[in-house]
Amino acid sequence: MVNNINNNMANLWTPIFLPFGSLTNWYDSTDTTTLTLSTGNKVADWRDKSYDANNLSEVDYADLPVYGTTNINGLSTVDFDSATSINLDRVSSTPLGTTDYYIMYAGFNNTYTVPGTMYSFNNTSDGNYVTLKAVTSTVTQLIMNDGPTNLVTVQVSNISNAVTIYTVDVVGDDVTCTLNYASSTATGTRTAPTSPLNSLTLGAQANDAVGLNGQIGELIVVQQDVITLADKQKLEGYTAWKWGQVANLPGGHPYETAAPTVTDVEFRNKLYETSTEEGSSRFRRLFELGFVG
């Protein structure tokens, strides 16, 4: 066990090391253990790595995206053709709520079929939503519909035929949406949502006939009363180095020269935290830490 611990202390930081309970959704195309493939490498299920079990599923074969035909930075991705999507097969156990939240999306935009939706959090009963979609060939909008009169739109650029990292940062009533860490940023004001957003669709908006024409590599959602700058910067460094976007980090960023790593204390704390869990949650966390395979 000692040797295994020492080996892991040099490991790169991943979202698993975020504060307990704050990571509510994590879909990672590079982890094949989270994907259930059907005929033709179609993705029927995409497991959530956050331990909240917000797993994605799609039963209609015609609507399934494809795994492994495309890649970003040499890493396999899930490919959407603008008519495919993958959804939560039930109400989410951790809806997008009224706390601060932070969303990181890593993907590749082909030539857009407009509107091309990257992801959409929805309420299954009243139609409220938070969605990120390309509305023209050069414009992406973060649209927050919190009720009949509370529509918030934050507009940033998009890039066709290129890797895109979109960040949504909601702190209190302030909303910031950023493309590739610094190249395009817009802000807006949120009003309190009238209902929890308890359903998620990747690659389309719920019941939307037109979705994403491109690939998804990763979607990470963090929800907490206060999300620290240090954790946000670690997420930026993690995604930048993983998906080949280090050059887009702003000057002076703490991870512009090296990816975030796990300290001795962080690793031991996470191992102790795991020892208090039971069942499948503990197994999945131990797998992520490298103790089981």
Side-chain angles (χ1 to χ4, degrees), residues 236-255:
E236 291 172 343
Y238 163 79
T239 52
W241 284 91
K242 181 174 182 177
W243 300 108
Q245 297 301 298
V246 176
N248 285 317
L249 290 174
H253 195 280
Y255 302 109

Side-chain angles (χ1 to χ4, degrees), residues 28-147:
D28 177 8
S29 69
T30 69
D31 186 350
T32 56
T33 68
T34 67
L35 301 171
T36 301
L37 304 181
S38 62
T39 304
N41 286 331
K42 298 262 189 173
V43 179
D45 300 283
W46 198 345
R47 182 174 62 74
D48 173 21
K49 296 173 67 173
S50 77
Y51 316 111
D52 284 3
N54 293 314
N55 301 326
L56 299 169
S57 182
E58 177 60 63
V59 296
D60 189 340
Y61 182 82
D63 288 342
L64 298 181
V66 180
Y67 175 72
T69 58
T70 54
N71 72 80
I72 299 173
N73 199 34
L75 303 174
S76 293
T77 56
V78 178
D79 192 15
F80 295 77
D81 67 1
S82 80
T84 60
S85 63
I86 188 164
N87 308 273
L88 278 174
D89 60 354
R90 57 178 173 72
V91 174
S92 170
S93 63
T94 48
L96 205 64
T98 57
T99 62
D100 292 354
Y101 61 85
Y102 192 81
I103 304 174
M104 294 212 72
Y105 166 94
F108 187 97
N109 295 333
N110 299 335
T111 301
Y112 281 103
T113 302
V114 177
T117 302
M118 285 151 265
Y119 61 79
S120 184
F121 293 87
N122 304 274
N123 183 282
T124 54
S125 61
D126 63 18
N128 290 349
Y129 58 85
V130 170
T131 187
L132 186 72
K133 63 166 56 181
V135 293
T136 73
S137 61
T138 59
V139 173
T140 287
Q141 286 182 345
L142 172 71
I143 305 172
M144 309 175 75
N145 181 17
D146 291 334

